[in-house]
PDB file of all heavy atoms in Angstrom:
ATOM      1  N   TYR A   1      -0.939 -20.506 -10.144  1.00 89.00           N
ATOM      2  CA  TYR A   1      -0.700 -20.414  -8.718  1.00 89.00           C
ATOM      3  C   TYR A   1      -1.327 -19.104  -8.225  1.00 89.00           C
ATOM      4  O   TYR A   1      -1.499 -18.180  -9.015  1.00 89.00           O
ATOM      5  CB  TYR A   1       0.788 -20.425  -8.389  1.00 89.00           C
ATOM      6  CG  TYR A   1       1.455 -21.745  -8.419  1.00 89.00           C
ATOM      7  CD1 TYR A   1       2.116 -22.190  -9.550  1.00 89.00           C
ATOM      8  CD2 TYR A   1       1.423 -22.585  -7.301  1.00 89.00           C
ATOM      9  CE1 TYR A   1       2.759 -23.420  -9.559  1.00 89.00           C
ATOM     10  CE2 TYR A   1       2.063 -23.833  -7.329  1.00 89.00           C
ATOM     11  CZ  TYR A   1       2.723 -24.251  -8.461  1.00 89.00           C
ATOM     12  OH  TYR A   1       3.328 -25.467  -8.473  1.00 89.00           O
ATOM     13  N   SER A   2      -1.568 -19.004  -6.957  1.00 91.00           N
ATOM     14  CA  SER A   2      -2.049 -17.756  -6.422  1.00 91.00           C
ATOM     15  C   SER A   2      -0.943 -16.692  -6.419  1.00 91.00           C
ATOM     16  O   SER A   2      -1.193 -15.534  -6.217  1.00 91.00           O
ATOM     17  CB  SER A   2      -2.580 -17.959  -4.957  1.00 91.00           C
ATOM     18  OG  SER A   2      -1.612 -18.587  -4.161  1.00 91.00           O
ATOM     19  N   SER A   3       0.287 -17.110  -6.751  1.00 92.00           N
ATOM     20  CA  SER A   3       1.385 -16.201  -6.947  1.00 92.00           C
ATOM     21  C   SER A   3       1.822 -16.164  -8.430  1.00 92.00           C
ATOM     22  O   SER A   3       2.978 -15.761  -8.726  1.00 92.00           O
ATOM     23  CB  SER A   3       2.607 -16.611  -6.087  1.00 92.00           C
ATOM     24  OG  SER A   3       2.986 -17.918  -6.448  1.00 92.00           O
ATOM     25  N   GLY A   4       0.933 -16.525  -9.335  1.00 91.00           N
ATOM     26  CA  GLY A   4       1.279 -16.666 -10.707  1.00 91.00           C
ATOM     27  C   GLY A   4       1.833 -15.393 -11.368  1.00 91.00           C
ATOM     28  O   GLY A   4       2.843 -15.414 -12.083  1.00 91.00           O
ATOM     29  N   THR A   5       1.208 -14.244 -11.106  1.00 93.00           N
ATOM     30  CA  THR A   5       1.692 -12.979 -11.669  1.00 93.00           C
ATOM     31  C   THR A   5       3.081 -12.666 -11.164  1.00 93.00           C
ATOM     32  O   THR A   5       3.979 -12.206 -11.924  1.00 93.00           O
ATOM     33  CB  THR A   5       0.733 -11.828 -11.331  1.00 93.00           C
ATOM     34  OG1 THR A   5      -0.567 -12.166 -11.905  1.00 93.00           O
ATOM     35  CG2 THR A   5       1.184 -10.536 -11.965  1.00 93.00           C
ATOM     36  N   ASN A   6       3.320 -12.901  -9.856  1.00 94.00           N
ATOM     37  CA  ASN A   6       4.630 -12.646  -9.318  1.00 94.00           C
ATOM     38  C   ASN A   6       5.698 -13.556  -9.906  1.00 94.00           C
ATOM     39  O   ASN A   6       6.858 -13.160 -10.108  1.00 94.00           O
ATOM     40  CB  ASN A   6       4.633 -12.827  -7.771  1.00 94.00           C
ATOM     41  CG  ASN A   6       4.101 -11.609  -7.029  1.00 94.00           C
ATOM     42  OD1 ASN A   6       3.960 -10.536  -7.645  1.00 94.00           O
ATOM     43  ND2 ASN A   6       3.847 -11.765  -5.744  1.00 94.00           N
ATOM     44  N   ASN A   7       5.313 -14.781 -10.244  1.00 95.00           N
ATOM     45  CA  ASN A   7       6.252 -15.715 -10.886  1.00 95.00           C
ATOM     46  C   ASN A   7       6.675 -15.140 -12.248  1.00 95.00           C
ATOM     47  O   ASN A   7       7.844 -15.207 -12.611  1.00 95.00           O
ATOM     48  CB  ASN A   7       5.586 -17.076 -11.075  1.00 95.00           C
ATOM     49  CG  ASN A   7       5.320 -17.809  -9.760  1.00 95.00           C
ATOM     50  OD1 ASN A   7       5.900 -17.443  -8.745  1.00 95.00           O
ATOM     51  ND2 ASN A   7       4.445 -18.783  -9.802  1.00 95.00           N
ATOM     52  N   VAL A   8       5.740 -14.599 -13.031  1.00 95.00           N
ATOM     53  CA  VAL A   8       6.049 -14.000 -14.317  1.00 95.00           C
ATOM     54  C   VAL A   8       6.883 -12.728 -14.114  1.00 95.00           C
ATOM     55  O   VAL A   8       7.831 -12.464 -14.873  1.00 95.00           O
ATOM     56  CB  VAL A   8       4.791 -13.732 -15.133  1.00 95.00           C
ATOM     57  CG1 VAL A   8       5.155 -13.048 -16.480  1.00 95.00           C
ATOM     58  CG2 VAL A   8       4.060 -15.045 -15.391  1.00 95.00           C
ATOM     59  N   PHE A   9       6.541 -11.925 -13.089  1.00 96.00           N
ATOM     60  CA  PHE A   9       7.345 -10.731 -12.780  1.00 96.00           C
ATOM     61  C   PHE A   9       8.812 -11.133 -12.555  1.00 96.00           C
ATOM     62  O   PHE A   9       9.765 -10.482 -13.004  1.00 96.00           O
ATOM     63  CB  PHE A   9       6.823 -10.049 -11.526  1.00 96.00           C
ATOM     64  CG  PHE A   9       5.658  -9.160 -11.707  1.00 96.00           C
ATOM     65  CD1 PHE A   9       4.822  -8.815 -10.660  1.00 96.00           C
ATOM     66  CD2 PHE A   9       5.338  -8.626 -12.967  1.00 96.00           C
ATOM     67  CE1 PHE A   9       3.713  -8.012 -10.806  1.00 96.00           C
ATOM     68  CE2 PHE A   9       4.227  -7.813 -13.146  1.00 96.00           C
ATOM     69  CZ  PHE A   9       3.419  -7.492 -12.081  1.00 96.00           C
ATOM     70  N   ALA A  10       9.005 -12.225 -11.864  1.00 96.00           N
ATOM     71  CA  ALA A  10      10.361 -12.677 -11.535  1.00 96.00           C
ATOM     72  C   ALA A  10      11.133 -13.024 -12.834  1.00 96.00           C
ATOM     73  O   ALA A  10      12.341 -12.727 -12.955  1.00 96.00           O
ATOM     74  CB  ALA A  10      10.307 -13.896 -10.573  1.00 96.00           C
ATOM     75  N   LEU A  11      10.467 -13.714 -13.745  1.00 96.00           N
ATOM     76  CA  LEU A  11      11.090 -14.016 -15.029  1.00 96.00           C
ATOM     77  C   LEU A  11      11.458 -12.743 -15.834  1.00 96.00           C
ATOM     78  O   LEU A  11      12.515 -12.640 -16.423  1.00 96.00           O
ATOM     79  CB  LEU A  11      10.211 -14.919 -15.868  1.00 96.00           C
ATOM     80  CG  LEU A  11       9.878 -16.305 -15.257  1.00 96.00           C
ATOM     81  CD1 LEU A  11       9.057 -17.103 -16.264  1.00 96.00           C
ATOM     82  CD2 LEU A  11      11.135 -17.048 -14.902  1.00 96.00           C
ATOM     83  N   ALA A  12      10.503 -11.782 -15.820  1.00 95.00           N
ATOM     84  CA  ALA A  12      10.759 -10.554 -16.531  1.00 95.00           C
ATOM     85  C   ALA A  12      11.935  -9.767 -15.894  1.00 95.00           C
ATOM     86  O   ALA A  12      12.799  -9.195 -16.574  1.00 95.00           O
ATOM     87  CB  ALA A  12       9.529  -9.653 -16.511  1.00 95.00           C
ATOM     88  N   ASN A  13      11.986  -9.770 -14.523  1.00 96.00           N
ATOM     89  CA  ASN A  13      13.124  -9.169 -13.834  1.00 96.00           C
ATOM     90  C   ASN A  13      14.447  -9.777 -14.322  1.00 96.00           C
ATOM     91  O   ASN A  13      15.394  -9.070 -14.595  1.00 96.00           O
ATOM     92  CB  ASN A  13      12.970  -9.378 -12.349  1.00 96.00           C
ATOM     93  CG  ASN A  13      11.877  -8.547 -11.703  1.00 96.00           C
ATOM     94  OD1 ASN A  13      11.373  -7.621 -12.277  1.00 96.00           O
ATOM     95  ND2 ASN A  13      11.498  -8.905 -10.479  1.00 96.00           N
ATOM     96  N   LEU A  14      14.467 -11.096 -14.373  1.00 96.00           N
ATOM     97  CA  LEU A  14      15.682 -11.786 -14.726  1.00 96.00           C
ATOM     98  C   LEU A  14      16.133 -11.457 -16.140  1.00 96.00           C
ATOM     99  O   LEU A  14      17.316 -11.250 -16.409  1.00 96.00           O
ATOM    100  CB  LEU A  14      15.472 -13.325 -14.539  1.00 96.00           C
ATOM    101  CG  LEU A  14      16.665 -14.207 -14.817  1.00 96.00           C
ATOM    102  CD1 LEU A  14      17.787 -13.916 -13.799  1.00 96.00           C
ATOM    103  CD2 LEU A  14      16.243 -15.693 -14.683  1.00 96.00           C
ATOM    104  N   ALA A  15      15.167 -11.457 -17.076  1.00 96.00           N
ATOM    105  CA  ALA A  15      15.478 -11.175 -18.467  1.00 96.00           C
ATOM    106  C   ALA A  15      16.049  -9.762 -18.617  1.00 96.00           C
ATOM    107  O   ALA A  15      17.013  -9.505 -19.358  1.00 96.00           O
ATOM    108  CB  ALA A  15      14.268 -11.385 -19.354  1.00 96.00           C
ATOM    109  N   MET A  16      15.412  -8.770 -17.942  1.00 95.00           N
ATOM    110  CA  MET A  16      15.844  -7.400 -18.064  1.00 95.00           C
ATOM    111  C   MET A  16      17.232  -7.219 -17.375  1.00 95.00           C
ATOM    112  O   MET A  16      18.095  -6.534 -17.893  1.00 95.00           O
ATOM    113  CB  MET A  16      14.851  -6.462 -17.430  1.00 95.00           C
ATOM    114  CG  MET A  16      13.572  -6.254 -18.239  1.00 95.00           C
ATOM    115  SD  MET A  16      12.528  -4.913 -17.657  1.00 95.00           S
ATOM    116  CE  MET A  16      12.013  -5.544 -16.010  1.00 95.00           C
ATOM    117  N   LEU A  17      17.382  -7.837 -16.217  1.00 96.00           N
ATOM    118  CA  LEU A  17      18.629  -7.726 -15.451  1.00 96.00           C
ATOM    119  C   LEU A  17      19.831  -8.194 -16.251  1.00 96.00           C
ATOM    120  O   LEU A  17      20.910  -7.638 -16.180  1.00 96.00           O
ATOM    121  CB  LEU A  17      18.495  -8.551 -14.163  1.00 96.00           C
ATOM    122  CG  LEU A  17      19.645  -8.506 -13.166  1.00 96.00           C
ATOM    123  CD1 LEU A  17      19.757  -7.133 -12.519  1.00 96.00           C
ATOM    124  CD2 LEU A  17      19.462  -9.565 -12.107  1.00 96.00           C
ATOM    125  N   THR A  18      19.615  -9.251 -17.031  1.00 96.00           N
ATOM    126  CA  THR A  18      20.726  -9.848 -17.780  1.00 96.00           C
ATOM    127  C   THR A  18      20.816  -9.414 -19.227  1.00 96.00           C
ATOM    128  O   THR A  18      21.694  -9.845 -20.030  1.00 96.00           O
ATOM    129  CB  THR A  18      20.572 -11.425 -17.745  1.00 96.00           C
ATOM    130  OG1 THR A  18      19.268 -11.762 -18.286  1.00 96.00           O
ATOM    131  CG2 THR A  18      20.677 -11.957 -16.358  1.00 96.00           C
ATOM    132  N   GLY A  19      19.881  -8.526 -19.680  1.00 95.00           N
ATOM    133  CA  GLY A  19      19.896  -8.067 -21.063  1.00 95.00           C
ATOM    134  C   GLY A  19      19.380  -9.135 -22.063  1.00 95.00           C
ATOM    135  O   GLY A  19      19.679  -8.984 -23.239  1.00 95.00           O
ATOM    136  N   GLN A  20      18.701 -10.146 -21.608  1.00 96.00           N
ATOM    137  CA  GLN A  20      18.225 -11.181 -22.511  1.00 96.00           C
ATOM    138  C   GLN A  20      16.822 -10.843 -22.995  1.00 96.00           C
ATOM    139  O   GLN A  20      15.872 -11.595 -22.886  1.00 96.00           O
ATOM    140  CB  GLN A  20      18.229 -12.562 -21.795  1.00 96.00           C
ATOM    141  CG  GLN A  20      19.576 -13.040 -21.324  1.00 96.00           C
ATOM    142  CD  GLN A  20      20.473 -13.486 -22.502  1.00 96.00           C
ATOM    143  OE1 GLN A  20      20.173 -13.226 -23.682  1.00 96.00           O
ATOM    144  NE2 GLN A  20      21.564 -14.121 -22.183  1.00 96.00           N
ATOM    145  N   VAL A  21      16.704  -9.641 -23.553  1.00 95.00           N
ATOM    146  CA  VAL A  21      15.434  -9.159 -24.095  1.00 95.00           C
ATOM    147  C   VAL A  21      15.731  -8.100 -25.136  1.00 95.00           C
ATOM    148  O   VAL A  21      16.756  -7.448 -25.107  1.00 95.00           O
ATOM    149  CB  VAL A  21      14.535  -8.606 -22.951  1.00 95.00           C
ATOM    150  CG1 VAL A  21      15.156  -7.354 -22.347  1.00 95.00           C
ATOM    151  CG2 VAL A  21      13.111  -8.343 -23.407  1.00 95.00           C
ATOM    152  N   GLY A  22      14.859  -7.960 -26.171  1.00 94.00           N
ATOM    153  CA  GLY A  22      15.033  -6.917 -27.141  1.00 94.00           C
ATOM    154  C   GLY A  22      16.015  -7.271 -28.233  1.00 94.00           C
ATOM    155  O   GLY A  22      16.429  -6.388 -29.031  1.00 94.00           O
ATOM    156  N   ARG A  23      16.398  -8.526 -28.314  1.00 94.00           N
ATOM    157  CA  ARG A  23      17.297  -8.971 -29.373  1.00 94.00           C
ATOM    158  C   ARG A  23      16.770 -10.293 -29.929  1.00 94.00           C
ATOM    159  O   ARG A  23      16.060 -11.027 -29.273  1.00 94.00           O
ATOM    160  CB  ARG A  23      18.755  -9.198 -28.825  1.00 94.00           C
ATOM    161  CG  ARG A  23      19.421  -7.965 -28.327  1.00 94.00           C
ATOM    162  CD  ARG A  23      20.800  -8.218 -27.778  1.00 94.00           C
ATOM    163  NE  ARG A  23      20.786  -8.970 -26.528  1.00 94.00           N
ATOM    164  CZ  ARG A  23      21.296 -10.211 -26.369  1.00 94.00           C
ATOM    165  NH1 ARG A  23      21.799 -10.859 -27.434  1.00 94.00           N
ATOM    166  NH2 ARG A  23      21.216 -10.859 -25.212  1.00 94.00           N
ATOM    167  N   TYR A  24      17.153 -10.636 -31.193  1.00 94.00           N
ATOM    168  CA  TYR A  24      16.739 -11.852 -31.779  1.00 94.00           C
ATOM    169  C   TYR A  24      17.241 -13.027 -30.913  1.00 94.00           C
ATOM    170  O   TYR A  24      18.376 -13.125 -30.518  1.00 94.00           O
ATOM    171  CB  TYR A  24      17.313 -12.006 -33.190  1.00 94.00           C
ATOM    172  CG  TYR A  24      16.918 -13.259 -33.895  1.00 94.00           C
ATOM    173  CD1 TYR A  24      15.623 -13.432 -34.425  1.00 94.00           C
ATOM    174  CD2 TYR A  24      17.831 -14.363 -33.998  1.00 94.00           C
ATOM    175  CE1 TYR A  24      15.264 -14.623 -35.031  1.00 94.00           C
ATOM    176  CE2 TYR A  24      17.470 -15.538 -34.619  1.00 94.00           C
ATOM    177  CZ  TYR A  24      16.172 -15.669 -35.137  1.00 94.00           C
ATOM    178  OH  TYR A  24      15.785 -16.827 -35.698  1.00 94.00           O
ATOM    179  N   GLY A  25      16.338 -13.995 -30.658  1.00 94.00           N
ATOM    180  CA  GLY A  25      16.678 -15.170 -29.907  1.00 94.00           C
ATOM    181  C   GLY A  25      16.633 -15.006 -28.407  1.00 94.00           C
ATOM    182  O   GLY A  25      17.025 -15.901 -27.662  1.00 94.00           O
TER     183      GLY A  25
END
């Protein structure tokens, strides 16, 4: 999409916000 990078930013925001990163699984 012409907003593709922003879409991925949104997913990264969500993962960091909830702590679902930096751990197994």
Side-chain angles (χ1 to χ4, degrees):
Y1 281 95
S2 53
S3 60
T5 301
N6 278 349
N7 293 342
V8 177
F9 280 159
L11 297 184
N13 289 343
L14 184 61
M16 288 191 294
L17 182 70
T18 56
Q20 298 288 12
V21 66
R23 297 179 290 116
Y24 180 77

